[in-house]
Amino acid sequence: MIEKLNKVFEKLPPEHRDTIREAFIILIEEVINAVVKDNERIWQAIEQNAKAIEEMRKTMKEGFERQAQENEKIWQAIDRLTNSIEEMRKTMNERFERQEKENQRIWQAIDKLTQAIDKLDKKMDRKITALGARWGLMAEGTFRAGIKEIIEDLGYAVENVKFFDSEGYVFLKPSQIEIDIIIKDSKRIAIEIKSSISEGDVSTFERKVKLYEKKFNLKIDKKIILTPFANDKAIDIAKSFDIEIVEELKE
């Protein structure tokens, strides 16, 4: 390239050759200096970018290290939480087992208490039944006297008839028979007052009425049983005998 430049310079006039060569050299130096400066700026930029990249690398490394440490803390927290959950599960299972055993003891106690109550209930039923039977005998007499007084105040005549059943028609053996008769305007109403009525009581009352009619040759116009309690079978039998059961007194 220098040889080509020298050939070019030789073609120039001698008086201008040195001046042009010097000017050209100056131009080349300026270009070289400009290139050098530009290269310096490039290297400076490269160095700056290298520093920036290094800083970024350090920052990223530090960030990854911090993240790794944070992840370690997170996993440790997860492990603690897992252990806590496992301990809680064990504790709950133990409590459930204890509660289940306690429930079994409670149900056993309830069963025993229920059995005791059943026994007491049966015992009370027997005592109440016995007491009711004794009370019924007294109450029927007292109630009969009260009803008799009320009926007589209304203008009715109440007659307590007693007679002996020598053939055992009523109770299947010779017995003293007692029956209440209400008389009003020549009409006779047979009435039986009892604390409770069974189907057997209804049949017995019907036989009393028939024996009364036969023995005294008197017709009973109406048959009434006055009781606070009558079972369904007793009511059905009473209907078949045309007996009226009154379970509630009305004014």
Side-chain angles (χ1 to χ4, degrees):
M1 182 177 179
I2 294 175
E3 291 179 356
K4 290 181 179 180
L5 289 174
N6 288 329
K7 288 179 179 181
V8 171
F9 286 138
E10 289 176 355
K11 293 179 180 180
L12 295 173
E15 64 273 16
H16 299 298
R17 189 178 298 166
D18 292 336
T19 301
I20 293 173
R21 181 181 286 113
E22 185 177 353
F24 188 74
I25 291 171
I26 293 171
L27 178 61
I28 291 174
E29 289 177 353
E30 290 293 332
V31 171
I32 291 172
N33 290 333
V35 170
V36 170
K37 289 181 180 180
D38 192 44
N39 286 342
E40 288 177 354
R41 287 194 299 272
I42 291 172
W43 281 111
Q44 289 175 355
I46 290 172
E47 289 177 357
Q48 290 175 354
N49 289 333
K51 289 180 180 180
I53 291 171
E54 181 63 20
E55 290 295 329
M56 185 183 297
R57 186 189 66 80
K58 290 181 180 179
T59 302
M60 290 179 65
K61 181 180 179 181
E62 292 174 355
F64 285 138
E65 289 176 352
R66 287 195 301 271
Q67 187 61 48
Q69 293 174 356
E70 186 67 20
N71 289 345
E72 181 65 23
K73 292 179 181 178
I74 291 172
W75 281 113
Q76 290 175 356
I78 290 174
D79 289 339
R80 289 194 298 270
L81 182 60
T82 302
N83 293 333
S84 298
I85 293 173
E86 181 63 21
E87 289 296 326
M88 185 184 298
R89 186 189 65 81
K90 291 180 180 179
T91 301
M92 289 179 65
N93 286 339
E94 292 174 356
R95 289 182 178 179
F96 283 139
E97 289 176 358
R98 289 197 299 269
Q99 186 61 47
E100 185 176 357
K101 292 179 181 179
E102 184 66 19
N103 289 344
Q104 290 177 355
R105 289 195 293 270
I106 290 172
W107 282 113
Q108 289 173 357
I110 290 174
D111 289 340
K112 291 181 180 179
L113 182 60
T114 302
Q115 293 175 5
I117 291 173
D118 288 341
K119 290 180 180 179
L120 180 61
D121 187 49
K122 291 178 181 179
K123 186 175 181 180
M124 290 292 293
D125 281 344
R126 290 194 297 269
K127 289 187 176 182
I128 290 173
T129 300
L131 180 62
R134 292 194 296 272
W135 178 86
L137 294 175
M138 295 182 294
E140 286 166 14
T142 303
F143 192 35
R144 185 182 297 111
I147 291 295
K148 179 179 179 181
E149 184 177 348
I150 293 172
I151 293 173
E152 287 176 346
D153 289 342
L154 294 174
Y156 291 86
V158 180
E159 181 181 0
N160 180 245
V161 180
K162 297 179 181 179
F163 56 93
F164 190 74
D165 176 15
S166 58
E167 297 179 357
Y169 175 72
V170 176
F171 295 111
L172 304 181
K173 64 179 180 178
S175 305
Q176 183 72 17
I177 305 301
E178 182 177 355
I179 187 170
D180 290 325
I181 304 296
I182 298 174
I183 302 172
K184 177 68 173 179
D185 298 331
S186 300
K187 290 186 177 181
R188 295 178 179 273
I189 301 172
I191 183 169
E192 179 79 0
I193 302 171
K194 293 185 71 68
S195 58
S196 64
I197 286 292
S198 66
E199 52 269 33
D201 294 327
V202 175
S203 298
T204 298
F205 178 57
E206 176 67 13
R207 290 195 296 272
K208 282 184 181 182
V209 172
K210 287 184 177 180
L211 184 59
Y212 171 86
E213 290 177 328
K214 179 180 179 181
K215 187 173 185 65
F216 296 99
N217 196 26
L218 295 172
K219 182 179 182 302
I220 295 296
D221 299 292
K222 190 172 185 179
K223 296 172 286 187
I224 296 175
I225 294 177
L226 182 60
T227 179
F229 175 77
N231 61 42
D232 293 338
K233 290 183 179 180
I235 294 174
D236 291 339
I237 293 176
K239 289 180 180 179
S240 67
F241 289 144
D242 196 24
I243 297 173
E244 180 181 354
I245 291 183
V246 178
E247 296 181 87
E248 181 179 359
L249 288 178
K250 297 181 180 179
E251 295 181 358

